[in-house]
Amino acid sequence: MRCEYAWRGSVRSPAVKERQAAIDQACRPGFYKASSGNVKCSKCPPHSYTHQEGAVHCACEKNYFRAEEDPVSMACSRPPSAPRNVISAINETSVILDWTWPADSGGRKDVIFNVVCKRCWLGPRQCEPCRGAVRFLPRATGLANTTVTVVDLLAHTNYTFEIEAQNGVSAQAPTVRQYAAVTITTNQAVQAVSETKTRKIVTPLSTLALRQIIQLPLLSYKTQAEQGDGCVNGQSTPSAVTVIRKDRTSRNSISLSWMEPERPNGIILDYEVKYYEKQEQETSYTILRSKGTNVTLNGLKPDTTYLLQIRARTAAGYGGSSRKFEFETSPDSFSISSENSQVVLIAVSSAVAIILLTVLLYIVISRFCRYSKSKHPDEKRLPFGNGHLRLPGIKTYVDPHTYEDPSQAVHEFAKELEASCIAIDKVVGAGEFGEVCSGRLKLPSKKEICVAIKTLKAGYTEKQRRDFLSEASIMGQFDHPNIIRLEGVVTRSKPVMIVTEYMENGSLDGFLRKHDAQFTVIQLVGMLRGIASGMKYLSDMGYVHRDLAARNILVNSNLVCKVSDFGLSRVLEDDPEAAYTTRGGKIPIRWTAPEAIAYRKFTSASDVWSYGIVLWEVMSYGERPYWEMSNQDVIKAVDEGYRLPPPMECPATLYQLMLDCWQKDRNNRPKFEQIVSILDKLIRNPSSLKITASTTSRPVNLLLDRTSTDITSFHTMGDWLESARTLPCKDAFSGVGYSSCDTLAKTSAE
Ligand code: ACK
């Protein structure tokens, strides 16, 4: 009001005069005025310009446009970038395509997707537009959501789907098509045949036959490495299988098992096992496909040498073939057949004798050897190494504390590296004992690799040095794609260092927070599967982690998650989450099972509880478990039967798995082996992930034996506790129809 008055008045302030002058004047370059009259010149909106005076609008910069209906005051925009992370889940002759929003929407909100279907032939790549009955649900063009179902495809046929992103200005840049493509085959066996040569016999393992193919996207995230330190893995297909073991041989069959490739670079969908008679020189061979890491080759000739190669397949394709392994079937005289009962008798009695001898040997050795002073007081172990006996076929974790001289343990399990082979590039974090750096390791006649280097800061005590190196003694005993790999240690010069493989995306909790809501459920389940597989390996080795949490999982550039943090003193000293309990121990309360908090009962089953918390952290993109509740309140609530509610949009199947991991009775929790197989089944059957916990009635055991409410309504811990006290129990988990791991496995298998 006062301003208006001043304008009308005869005496104008300098500011008012200036403004009036701006209105009266023609606009300067860089400014425009859409209508003449009493309006001020406006600055050109983003991505537009004027070079002349008196402009009534601003022209768009190169490669930027304005849609017809865009006002001149709107920023110029451009077509979106391509959709990302396309996933296809095939079910016989239909496929569900799922993708994520383009990284760049071009500065507009009106992004839509069009799906183009092409039928392709292998060999010289030829495609033609899909004809006939192929149907898209809801439709092929103008999709606002990031999913489409394509039905009525032909069986045994290759298709390429191009998913194009468009916005209101795409029509103005018709030459730039921004699309992501995915190629699928509606029948797995046929695709395999086309890759073999000469006489081919493809034998899908009937019980293991893969009915669905999931094509995970080539995962690539901008990493620290890509930002400048040159540490990019660059590999997308799995590395070669290097360890193959013969388990059993008979006249006509050989059973084999193998280790997962060292770098799976994604989820392994299956393995191709190719074998042939050595004397046939690969002119005729058989191919088997196996979902697991073992296979039995049947129908072989007695006393014959076979050559065999294995390669793993992920969504990125086949990895390199293993070298050729040679195996022989037993000669006729070794056959165990019903006609030769005498041989059977001899074989059985020899086996019994061997078992008895082994047991006897074990008892004698147990008497003489000191039991391991394990860090798990309830779990006694037979030590080996350090002059102790190794029992063949049993690989068990050895507690470095069982060594009188712990530095001996380091040298038994970790390779000593020359400091001159290590180049430190930059500091990436801080550990309990010193800095964590990224760098490179170049060993003689080996390729340079990227590494993480943990250093021991100057002025350490002997105990600190021992504790620091104990992590290497533990890590050095493990060899698994989901466990952080130790490259070696530097102990003979200063600074003392532990060198491990480099994980470009750092800790999982931070990584998830940084990429909030950016992954598909399948990607998250893929990560969780990796963690479960690493934990299965640790529990098989008899190692109890005690501090499994997203902050102790590292992620590489291929989204492979690896369990880390194996320091002996770690749980007591290192973890900022660890708090003192009434019994004096220091424990990361929110991640720890009640029996471990109450009476220090740390077992693989308590690790499973922690895994359930990691599952919750992953599905909530790094949310803090139990939010702002105090440790004391968490202990009390968990003890009273309260459990964390499902994270937003969490599939019901995964929430059920969490609840199973949080069973009060540790014997009722699933084993890591079961968790791996449950997650595998979910990955192979993505529709089982479609029902979210927030859209179903609550699971029966959300609050164990307490009453509760619909889980949709929990937004804060307060809501959850409040409703838990007041509202009546609702239906059981009707949408999914299971309430334990066994039934979960069954449901997802179906
Ligand atoms: O979340 P971050 O970046 O990942 O910060 C922590 C920090 O060091 C202290 O632990 C990072 N870090 C630890 N080990 C590795 C590794 N092997 N590769 C890459 N980063 C690592 C961790």
Side-chain angles (χ1 to χ4, degrees), residues 105-258:
S105 62
R108 308 182 63 91
K109 293 208 173 92
D110 54 356
V111 177
I112 49 122
F113 304 97
N114 300 328
V115 182
V116 175
C117 171
K118 291 181 177 170
R119 196 179 151 193
C120 300
W121 287 265
L122 290 169
R125 193 113 194 118
Q126 270 187 342
C127 296
E128 64 169 32
C130 295
R131 274 184 266 127
V134 177
R135 284 185 301 130
F136 291 79
L137 304 172
R139 61 188 167 276
T141 55
L143 296 162
N145 290 330
T146 57
T147 184
V148 71
T149 303
V150 191
V151 297
D152 298 336
L153 296 164
L154 298 173
H156 313 295
T157 306
N158 296 305
Y159 288 95
T160 295
F161 294 97
E162 292 171 359
I163 296 140
E164 185 181 8
Q166 285 193 343
N167 63 15
V169 294
S170 292
Q172 298 184 51
T175 48
V176 195
R177 271 191 80 220
Q178 294 291 357
Y179 67 91
V182 61
T183 298
I184 59 124
T185 308
T186 47
N187 181 293
Q188 193 48 19
V190 170
Q191 186 184 27
V193 171
S194 64
E195 290 168 8
T196 55
K197 57 176 196 167
T198 65
R199 185 163 70 84
K200 296 140 253 172
I201 314 155
V202 175
T203 319
L205 292 176
S206 55
T207 49
L208 304 171
L210 193 67
R211 290 173 64 84
Q212 295 199 72
I213 313 160
I214 297 165
Q215 297 198 329
L216 289 170
L218 290 180
L219 305 167
S220 102
Y221 293 89
K222 197 158 173 66
T223 62
Q224 290 163 6
E226 285 162 319
Q227 287 156 11
D229 64 6
C231 297
V232 184
N233 183 332
Q235 244 185 332
S236 52
T237 55
S239 61
V241 170
T242 51
V243 182
I244 302 181
R245 205 180 64 195
K246 182 175 75 183
D247 294 333
R248 204 167 40 81
T249 328
S250 76
R251 270 177 78 219
N252 303 114
S253 70
I254 300 173
S255 296
L256 304 158
S257 54
W258 56 91

Side-chain angles (χ1 to χ4, degrees), residues 528-744:
L528 287 162
R529 194 258 180 216
I531 302 167
S533 173
M535 288 307 298
K536 175 192 176 297
Y537 174 85
L538 292 182
S539 71
D540 288 349
M541 289 275 286
Y543 179 81
V544 180
H545 191 287
R546 294 179 166 212
D547 197 9
L548 178 59
R551 64 183 169 278
N552 290 329
I553 303 292
L554 291 165
V555 188
N556 74 9
S557 57
N558 290 309
L559 279 203
V560 177
C561 288
K562 308 203 181 194
V563 181
S564 77
D565 207 17
F566 300 102
L568 269 188
S569 66
R570 173 208 67 221
V571 176
L572 296 177
E573 323 279 349
D574 185 20
D575 190 337
E577 284 294 349
Y580 287 99
T581 63
T582 44
R583 301 191 66 194
K586 215 181 163 200
I587 285 172
I589 301 291
R590 282 151 217 271
W591 282 263
T592 306
E595 74 276 7
I597 296 174
Y599 49 100
R600 303 179 67 74
K601 183 82 186 161
F602 284 97
T603 59
S604 291
S606 62
D607 276 352
V608 166
W609 178 290
S610 313
Y611 180 84
I613 304 286
V614 172
L615 183 45
W616 189 91
E617 288 182 279
V618 169
M619 297 316 295
S620 56
Y621 282 91
E623 183 67 83
R624 179 170 169 75
Y626 309 96
W627 302 277
E628 73 288 355
M629 278 176 81
S630 71
N631 280 342
Q632 271 319 310
D633 286 347
V634 171
I635 294 174
K636 189 162 174 284
V638 169
D639 201 47
E640 287 173 5
Y642 296 118
R643 296 294 180 267
L644 282 165
M648 240 166 51
E649 291 175 24
C650 177
T653 40
L654 293 177
Y655 184 55
Q656 184 60 54
L657 183 54
M658 289 175 209
L659 294 172
D660 287 330
C661 294
W662 302 328
Q663 288 280 341
K664 192 177 180 70
D665 180 348
R666 66 178 187 281
N667 299 311
N668 291 340
R669 294 174 204 154
K671 306 281 177 291
F672 280 115
E673 185 174 9
Q674 290 170 299
I675 297 176
V676 172
S677 110
I678 287 164
L679 296 177
D680 277 342
K681 282 170 186 157
L682 295 180
I683 289 169
R684 286 204 303 279
N685 182 11
S687 57
S688 59
L689 295 163
K690 293 256 176 226
I691 304 163
T692 56
S694 54
T695 53
T696 61
S697 306
R698 71 165 183 83
V700 274
N701 55 350
L702 174 65
L703 292 177
L704 298 179
D705 48 11
R706 292 185 70 92
T707 56
S708 178
T709 185
D710 190 325
I711 48 183
T712 42
S713 54
F714 304 134
H715 293 297
T716 67
M717 200 66 191
D719 291 353
W720 167 56
L721 290 173
E722 194 46 45
S723 58
R725 286 193 189 100
T726 53
L727 292 166
C729 194
K730 283 203 174 173
D731 299 343
F733 212 22
S734 55
V736 177
Y738 63 81
S739 61
S740 77
C741 270
D742 287 351
T743 41
L744 169 63

Side-chain angles (χ1 to χ4, degrees), residues 224 428-431 436 452 454 484 500-504 506-507 554:
Q224 290 163 6
V428 295
V436 184
K454 281 190 177 179
I484 195 84
T500 65
E501 68 181 302
Y502 186 65
M503 301 293 284
E504 294 84 346
S507 308
L554 291 165

Side-chain angles (χ1 to χ4, degrees), residues 48-61:
S48 68
Y49 64 91
T50 59
H51 294 315
Q52 268 98 43
E53 290 195 340
V56 290
H57 73 270
C58 302
C60 288
E61 287 170 6

Side-chain angles (χ1 to χ4, degrees), residues 235 237-242 260-265 268 311-312 319-321:
Q235 244 185 332
T237 55
S239 61
V241 170
T242 51
E260 254 191 24
E262 197 178 330
R263 290 180 305 283
N265 294 328
I268 293 184
R311 56 182 183 159
S321 288

